[in-house]
Amino acid sequence: MATLPLHHPVPQHVSSVPQLRSPPPVSSQSQQGGYGNPYQHQPQHGATGSSWGQYGQFMNDPTAQVAAQFGQTAFKHGQEYLEQNVNRWFNFATLKPYFQVTNSYVINKLFLVLFPWRHKPWSRKQAPGPNGQDGWYLPPREDVNSPDMYIPVMAVVTYVLLSTLIAGLRGKFQPEVLGKTASTALIVVIIEMLVLKLGCYLLGISNQSQLLDLIAYSGYKFVGMIVTIVVAEVANGGQGTGGWVGWAVFSYTFLANSLFLMRSLKYVLLPESANNNGGPMQTDSRAKRSQRTQFLFAYSYLVQLVFMWMLTRA
């Protein structure tokens, strides 16, 4: 049987071979690095060094130093001008003593706001001023009868967050609830300040007490409202502040806050009562004192009743 010859494939030369796209040419500086992707831009050390050298030359330039000095001087004068104009309307230095509180003061103050029935005395303690003059009151950490801003600010924030939490538990939370509650609380405080300042103007009360005292006393009612909302929600199973439990707690906190304001604001609205040994304060007539007492009663009871009822139902 004859053996068939093996057939070896003959290589065929293709005339047209597809050309692959070559990478972009690499510069000599990137080849010296020898690292990284050639398609990616590599930082050039020479350029960096030159930029730092130019920066150093710029900073050593006398003209640049004069410009930097001028900028610092202008910034300093601008800051001083801003502080002077802001302090013309509001002195931030007077706000600092209102936050000088301690843990014991906060506890005693909260107890005083919620249980003011047997507290004595109500008069604020005085101390000699820097030059020995009278009329300087002790800070809150040294006198529980002194108003502070720490408790009112924290009470307002807690009230806003608590109202938002309750709305979320009821399935009614929306982002607008947070802003609406905060705006309502702020508007109430502003209206109270306008009422107090108008009453002081009409009654001729020229007491040197600062506006921050009145703002602080206006914020203490949020402590009672927080207690009312929490107790009513727990007792009524999340059905709001209605029911006899809610009304009972609201009545108590309202009366406690009203008595607290009546006793605390006497040094502001009834300044002549602080001086019984004769003096310029004794020149006020008995009729004017009666008008001031009526205004203090109306603010402590009627105004607080409207605002506390509105905020606890919001």
Side-chain angles (χ1 to χ4, degrees):
M1 183 175 181
T3 304
L4 296 177
L6 297 176
H7 178 74
H8 297 278
V10 180
Q12 299 179 0
H13 299 281
V14 182
S15 59
S16 59
V17 179
Q19 300 293 329
L20 298 178
R21 181 176 297 177
S22 61
V26 183
S27 61
S28 60
Q29 294 179 356
S30 62
Q31 290 178 356
Q32 293 176 1
Y35 299 100
N37 189 354
Y39 294 94
Q40 185 176 2
H41 177 71
Q42 300 292 333
Q44 300 179 359
H45 299 285
T48 306
S50 62
S51 63
W52 278 104
Q54 294 176 0
Y55 179 76
Q57 293 177 1
F58 174 77
M59 293 304 298
N60 292 330
D61 190 0
T63 306
Q65 294 178 358
V66 173
Q69 250 180 2
F70 177 78
Q72 292 177 357
T73 305
F75 177 77
K76 181 179 179 181
H77 285 292
Q79 187 178 8
E80 291 177 355
Y81 176 80
L82 181 62
E83 290 178 356
Q84 291 176 359
N85 284 270
V86 170
N87 290 334
R88 183 182 304 176
W89 300 101
F90 184 80
N91 189 5
F92 286 96
T94 60
L95 185 62
K96 185 178 180 179
Y98 288 87
F99 288 92
Q100 295 181 0
V101 299
T102 59
N103 294 334
S104 60
Y105 167 81
V106 173
I107 295 175
N108 293 331
K109 193 71 171 188
L110 292 176
F111 187 84
L112 174 60
V113 173
L114 295 175
F115 306 98
W117 315 108
R118 303 187 63 178
H119 176 73
K120 288 182 180 180
W122 288 91
S123 59
R124 295 181 60 179
K125 298 179 181 179
Q126 295 187 4
N131 298 326
Q133 67 271 24
D134 296 332
W136 287 75
Y137 295 109
L138 292 177
R141 63 185 178 186
E142 301 179 16
D143 183 14
V144 71
N145 292 325
S146 180
D148 70 285
M149 294 293 292
Y150 177 80
I151 293 178
V153 170
M154 297 304 297
V156 172
V157 173
T158 305
Y159 165 77
V160 173
L161 296 179
L162 179 63
S163 301
T164 307
L165 175 63
I166 292 176
L169 294 176
R170 296 177 182 174
K172 300 179 181 180
F173 173 76
Q174 295 179 355
E176 295 80 8
V177 175
L178 190 63
K180 180 182 177 181
T181 307
S183 301
T184 304
L186 181 61
I187 291 173
V188 166
V189 174
I190 293 176
I191 294 177
E192 283 194 35
M193 293 305 99
L194 294 177
V195 171
L196 281 174
K197 297 300 290 185
L198 180 61
C200 293
Y201 174 76
L202 295 177
L203 296 176
I205 300 175
S206 59
N207 191 276
Q208 298 299 323
S209 177
Q210 300 175 1
L211 180 63
L212 294 177
D213 287 4
L214 303 179
I215 297 177
Y217 285 119
S218 175
Y220 285 121
K221 66 174 165 291
F222 288 92
V223 176
M225 290 191 301
I226 292 172
V227 175
T228 302
I229 294 174
V230 171
V231 175
E233 286 292 325
V234 173
N236 296 331
Q239 299 299 321
T241 54
W244 70 270
V245 176
W247 282 109
V249 178
F250 173 79
S251 301
Y252 176 83
T253 55
F254 158 69
L255 293 175
N257 179 74
S258 299
L259 179 61
F260 170 76
L261 292 178
M262 279 284 294
R263 300 298 186 185
S264 300
L265 287 175
K266 287 182 65 177
Y267 80 97
V268 178
L269 301 180
L270 302 174
E272 66 273 17
S273 62
N275 188 357
N276 297 323
N277 298 325
M281 290 298 180
Q282 293 291 329
T283 59
D284 290 337
S285 62
R286 183 173 298 180
K288 183 175 292 187
R289 176 180 172 83
S290 177
Q291 293 175 357
R292 293 177 178 180
T293 304
Q294 294 174 4
F295 173 73
L296 178 59
F297 179 85
Y299 169 75
S300 301
Y301 284 90
L302 300 181
V303 175
Q304 297 302 312
L305 176 62
V306 173
F307 286 144
M308 290 185 67
W309 180 85
M310 181 178 64
L311 290 174
T312 52
R313 299 302 186 275

